[in-house]
Amino acid sequence: MSQAVSLLTQALTRRRWLAGLFFAAGIVACLPLAAHAQTPGTVQKGPSGLPLPRFVSLKSNEVNVRAGPGTDYAVKWTFKRTGWPVEVVQEFDNWRRIRDSDGAEGWVYHSLLASRRTALVAPWRTDPVPLYAGRDDTGRVAALLEPKVLGDVKACDGVWCEVSGTNWQGFISQKTLFGVYPNETFD
C-alpha cells in the first residue's frame, strides 16, 4: 500500500511540475508580444543599453553560433568570414542572439561582434545589382555587383547607401542591402 501511495505522490508531483513548466512557457511565449507593444517612435533597448534590433558585423574570421547563451550549448554552425553582417535581435548577459541573411538564429558572445557597418548585396536575388557613381539611378553605373557581395557601409540617407569594397565604391539602393534597415539614416 505504501508503494502505491508513493507512486501516486510521484505522479502528482510530476503533474504539478509539468503544469508549472507549461505555465512558465506560456508566460515566456507572451514576452515578445509585450516587447512589440511600444509607443510608436520609441526604441527598444537591450540590457547593454544599445537598441534592439540592430545590425553589427563579425569581428573574427571564425565565430561559433550556439544553440543558447553560453558555452554549455552546442555549436549550431561557424561563420568563417570577418565583417559578415548580422542582426542582433536579443541580449542575455554577454551573449547576443543574432540573425543572419538567411534568417537563421543563434547565440554569439558579445566580444566577437563589432559595431562596424557592413552589408551584403541582395542575398535574396540571383541577378547583379547596379552600383551607381552618384545618388541617382539615372546616372553612370560604376559596377554591377553580384548577390552576396560584402561591402563596407559608409553612410545611408534612407534611400541610398554609400558603400565600398575591394576595388569598388559608389552608391546603391538601400532596399537592396542586408545590413541596413529601410529608411535608416546614418553617416
Side-chain angles (χ1 to χ4, degrees):
M1 178 90 168
S2 68
Q3 186 178 12
V5 169
S6 176
L7 289 173
L8 182 60
T9 303
Q10 287 177 354
L12 288 174
T13 302
R14 274 193 214 113
R15 273 193 199 180
R16 283 189 208 120
W17 184 83
L18 283 173
L21 181 65
F22 285 122
F23 177 75
I27 289 174
V28 169
C30 292
L31 288 177
L33 297 175
H36 290 290
Q38 306 179 44
T39 307
T42 62
V43 175
Q44 180 186 358
K45 296 204 177 194
S48 68
L50 297 171
L52 288 175
R54 68 181 178 278
F55 280 105
V56 296
S57 59
L58 302 180
K59 195 185 275 188
S60 175
N61 63 357
E62 190 165 315
V63 175
N64 289 331
V65 180
R66 297 186 174 273
T71 55
D72 293 340
Y73 290 92
V75 174
K76 292 171 70 174
W77 76 89
T78 301
F79 282 109
K80 298 278 189 180
R81 181 114 187 240
T82 302
W84 205 254
V86 292
E87 183 179 27
V88 175
V89 295
Q90 187 179 356
E91 296 180 346
F92 178 79
D93 196 23
N94 288 322
W95 291 84
R96 305 297 179 254
R97 186 173 187 156
I98 55 113
R99 181 181 304 132
D100 69 8
S101 62
D102 294 327
E105 292 188 7
W107 293 86
V108 171
Y109 194 68
H110 75 101
S111 67
L112 297 171
L113 302 173
S115 59
R116 176 178 153 218
R117 295 300 295 267
T118 63
L120 293 178
V121 174
W124 54 88
R125 289 176 54 166
T126 57
D127 56 320
V129 177
L131 177 75
Y132 295 95
R135 288 183 173 95
D136 184 359
D137 60 3
T138 61
R140 181 177 68 83
V141 173
L144 290 174
L145 301 177
E146 292 294 322
K148 293 190 179 179
V149 165
L150 177 64
D152 288 311
V153 182
K154 182 176 180 183
C156 291
D157 65 11
V159 179
W160 293 95
C161 290
E162 185 176 358
V163 294
S164 64
T166 305
N167 299 322
W168 59 270
Q169 65 180 12
F171 295 86
I172 192 165
S173 172
Q174 191 161 334
K175 63 185 176 185
T176 63
L177 296 175
F178 175 83
V180 297
Y181 294 107
N183 303 318
E184 180 182 14
T185 60
F186 64 90
D187 53 8

